[in-house]
Amino acid sequence: MNKVIIDGNKLTLEEFISVVRKNYKVELSNEAVEKVEKSRSIVEKFVDEEKVVYGITTGFGKFSDVLISKDETKELQRNLIISHSCGVGEPLDEEIVRGIMLLRANALAKGYSGIRLSTLNTLIDMLNKNVHPVIPEKGSLGASGDLAPLAHMVLVMIGEGEAYFGGERMPGKKAMELADIPMVELTSKEGLALINGTQVMTSIGALAVYDSINLAKMADVSSALTSEALNGIVTAYDEKVHQVRPHSGQINTARNLLKLLDGSNMTTVQGELRVQDAYSLRCLPQIHGASKDAIEYVKEKVNIEINSATDNPLIFNEEEAISGGNFHGQPMALSFDFLGIALAELANVSERRIERLVNPALSGLPAFLVEKGGLNSGFMIVQYAAAALVSENKVLAHPASVDSIPSSANQEDHVSMGTIAARKARAILDNARKVLAMELLASCQAIDLRGNKGLGKGSSIAYNIVRDHTEKIEDDIIMYKEINKCEELIKSNVILEEIEKQIGSLC
């Protein structure tokens, strides 16, 4: 059986993807069980002693100075969940919800949260049995963590809210009963332990960064085809150029392009047809490479966050509870804003290459890549659509993290907006994928019009797969269907997987 064992410390991005997209089962390590039980015993001692500890024997936020009696702890935790369930908007996608549940379970498995083992196991059972809470996409400030959306997750655990089970949306209590999962009566610290964290923004962002890694490679593939369609100059990709400015993304992109274009009869060298290309071809290593470096930075931050304790207070083995700020999403807010900018640039330069393909003054090809122009509009509006998407991305790429609105009567006077940053990055990713799909379609059309004299070892694989699903356009057809086919080829990774299978990994 495919499974991932979690202990709060060693979850990888690849394992995260296996659980959320491939339905791998999740188990706690023996060490994690011991740590969770130890942490819980400390919380119970605090309650018995009626020690003043935030969120355990006090209210929340501005109510941190209000003491709660031992007899009121269960009511306190239930009230926390139902009052904080203020999310609005469309439900988050199932894979995001699975990621949220996995990341919250992994954070709790570290043993610093004081949750009961039985409550943690309920969350893991929901994940393993595909009970997916309905979590609205909007309503988080990204500090004190993702309170509102995580509260919707916990609603189902206590038999409230809604969930998807067996492909059907239903009351949370019914979903739990059908899956044969006992519901939870929360007690001291547990509600706070479950909702005080950054797992919503991190789940959205982790999925986005994983897909961004592959999309950046596909940007190299689509640009290689465009380079051949425009008889691009490969001299600019010479390793000597990039070793004297040794940014790793730049070096890797140049290597990718030379590997993809190896053996091509369509590319040229410096001085053969012209001395130099426009920036959208000549500066590909610098442009794509900078985005790749940004994506790698965000991946490093995600790898830290998916194995972090992000709730408050944290319970330490010295029988000490420290009220800190690990729930604050600022490290991820800045990262996901950066990710969105990096992805927007991949789309920006792709749209410029599409323009070069469709503009006869720049390409030397029939206007708008159709032979009977005038009667046919060809790829004219494909470029319009690409321009619309990159313009939308420019709006979305405005950083969410530069904004902050005080909350909880100014007790929480700086918030991260990290969940908004993650959602925007994902939206930009979706737009960028569509623009690259348009470039794939246009570059293959341009190659056919130029006359295919033999493509590179890697680019020919991409061309052949695109042509297995589309045909050269002679007369106007419904274009969105062709664009959607190319987008699905990118989304499924079929092109990238076949290229890497035949010529080796791209980077």
Side-chain angles (χ1 to χ4, degrees):
M1 181 180 69
N2 293 323
K3 65 181 179 181
V4 170
I5 297 174
I6 59 172
D7 63 3
N9 300 307
K10 297 189 288 288
L11 182 68
T12 67
L13 184 58
E14 290 69 27
E15 287 174 329
F16 171 85
I17 294 297
S18 293
V19 172
V20 303
R21 289 183 172 167
K22 302 175 185 176
N23 279 23
Y24 278 35
K25 302 302 181 187
V26 175
E27 289 183 12
L28 284 173
S29 72
N30 292 332
E31 182 183 13
V33 169
E34 292 176 7
K35 288 183 176 180
V36 169
E37 290 181 327
K38 174 65 175 175
S39 179
R40 182 63 205 172
S41 69
I42 297 171
V43 168
E44 290 175 352
K45 183 179 179 182
F46 290 158
V47 174
D48 288 339
E49 295 173 351
E50 296 189 347
K51 183 175 180 178
V52 178
V53 180
Y54 173 75
I56 300 177
T57 55
T58 77
F60 309 103
K62 188 63 176 176
F63 291 134
S64 61
D65 294 328
V66 178
L67 297 182
I68 305 298
S69 71
K70 180 178 177 179
D71 295 335
E72 295 173 318
T73 55
K74 289 184 179 179
E75 185 178 1
L76 173 69
Q77 299 301 316
R78 178 180 173 83
N79 286 346
L80 173 70
I81 300 307
I82 61 177
S83 68
H84 284 47
S85 300
C86 296
V88 295
E90 294 298 313
L92 292 170
D93 290 351
E94 181 179 281
E95 63 177 17
I96 294 174
V97 173
R98 289 184 61 78
I100 292 167
M101 297 165 75
L102 170 62
L103 295 180
R104 195 71 215 124
N106 194 51
L108 296 170
K110 291 181 77 69
Y112 295 102
S113 302
I115 198 167
R116 287 177 298 171
L117 180 62
S118 59
T119 303
L120 175 53
N121 280 331
T122 295
L123 179 59
I124 293 172
D125 285 345
M126 290 167 62
L127 183 59
N128 287 339
K129 294 184 178 182
N130 300 314
V131 175
H132 301 135
V134 174
I135 302 179
E137 64 182 345
K138 299 178 183 179
S140 176
L141 295 173
S144 306
D146 290 309
L147 292 173
L150 285 171
H152 284 267
M153 177 190 79
V154 185
L155 278 178
V156 178
M157 298 177 71
I158 65 174
E160 302 288 352
E162 293 181 281
Y164 289 102
F165 181 70
E168 182 183 346
R169 183 170 175 169
M170 63 184 70
K173 182 179 180 181
K174 181 180 177 181
M176 295 290 274
E177 289 172 345
L178 288 173
D180 194 26
I181 303 173
M183 282 159 276
V184 174
E185 184 182 18
L186 299 172
T187 187
S188 50
K189 180 65 166 71
E190 291 194 306
L192 193 58
L194 285 162
I195 71 170
N196 202 206
T198 61
Q199 283 66 45
V200 176
M201 69 179 79
T202 306
S203 178
I204 298 168
L207 284 160
V209 78
Y210 181 84
D211 291 339
S212 297
I213 293 167
N214 290 329
L215 193 71
K217 294 179 184 179
M218 275 305 304
D220 290 349
V221 173
S222 65
S223 62
L225 286 166
T226 297
S227 182
E228 290 178 298
L230 296 173
N231 300 135
I233 301 167
V234 295
T235 315
Y237 311 145
D238 190 298
E239 188 170 7
K240 294 190 293 293
V241 174
H242 307 288
Q243 289 296 340
V244 296
R245 194 197 193 192
H247 294 288
S248 58
Q250 178 177 330
I251 291 170
N252 290 337
T253 300
R255 287 174 181 167
N256 283 353
L257 291 166
L258 291 177
K259 183 185 286 189
L260 290 163
L261 295 169
D262 183 32
S264 175
N265 294 321
M266 301 284 285
T267 57
T268 61
V269 295
Q270 186 173 295
E272 185 177 350
L273 288 181
R274 54 191 174 274
V275 174
Q276 59 183 22
D277 281 324
Y279 289 0
S280 57
L281 292 180
R282 187 177 9 137
C283 300
L284 274 170
Q286 292 81 2
I287 299 168
H288 287 189
S291 289
K292 289 177 184 178
D293 286 342
I295 292 165
E296 184 61 29
Y297 169 83
V298 180
K299 181 184 176 184
E300 291 174 6
K301 292 299 181 182
V302 165
N303 282 333
I304 293 170
E305 195 74 359
I306 65 178
N307 289 294
S308 295
T310 56
D311 53 302
N312 177 53
L314 294 171
I315 313 299
F316 295 94
N317 285 336
E318 299 80 9
E319 298 191 3
E320 183 180 21
I322 298 178
S323 187
N326 279 4
F327 51 72
H328 202 295
Q330 193 74 359
M332 306 318 297
L334 293 171
S335 296
F336 295 144
D337 278 336
F338 195 18
L339 178 63
I341 292 167
L343 290 166
E345 282 304 291
L346 292 179
N348 275 351
V349 70
S350 177
E351 184 278 329
R352 289 293 80 200
R353 293 192 297 266
I354 293 170
E355 162 62 14
R356 299 197 78 79
L357 289 168
V358 303
N359 187 334
L362 301 175
S363 68
L365 294 167
F368 305 109
L369 301 179
V370 66
E371 288 171 321
K372 291 182 283 185
L375 177 62
N376 295 291
S377 294
F379 280 70
M380 180 189 293
I381 311 302
V382 173
Q383 187 266 328
Y384 284 38
L389 290 171
V390 299
S391 290
E392 181 177 310
N393 280 350
K394 291 168 189 174
V395 175
L396 291 170
H398 178 83
S401 56
V402 299
D403 182 35
S404 178
I405 296 178
S407 57
S408 196
N410 228 35
Q411 174 76 356
E412 298 165 6
D413 54 357
H414 181 280
V415 295
S416 76
M417 305 300 183
T419 311
I420 298 172
R423 288 176 40 238
K424 291 197 304 91
R426 193 165 187 260
I428 293 169
L429 171 72
D430 185 62
N431 285 343
R433 185 189 296 118
K434 288 174 167 59
V435 174
L436 288 174
M438 294 173 189
E439 184 184 5
L440 268 183
L441 188 66
S443 61
C444 289
Q445 176 79 1
I447 286 167
D448 290 342
L449 290 171
R450 180 81 67 190
N452 188 343
K453 300 175 181 66
L455 303 177
K457 290 179 181 177
S459 56
S460 61
I461 298 167
Y463 172 88
N464 289 334
I465 292 173
V466 172
R467 280 293 174 249
D468 285 343
H469 294 81
T470 66
E471 296 180 354
K472 179 185 176 185
I473 296 171
E474 302 287 353
D475 296 301
D476 281 348
I477 59 173
I478 299 173
M479 293 295 282
Y480 81 87
K481 295 180 180 180
E482 308 305 302
I483 295 167
N484 289 350
K485 290 174 188 176
C486 290
E487 183 185 7
E488 186 53 38
L489 290 174
I490 296 173
K491 200 170 185 178
S492 68
N493 283 326
V494 63
I495 294 175
L496 191 56
E497 287 173 1
E498 189 60 29
I499 287 173
E500 294 192 323
K501 178 182 174 182
Q502 293 196 37
I503 70 169
S505 295
L506 301 180
C507 48

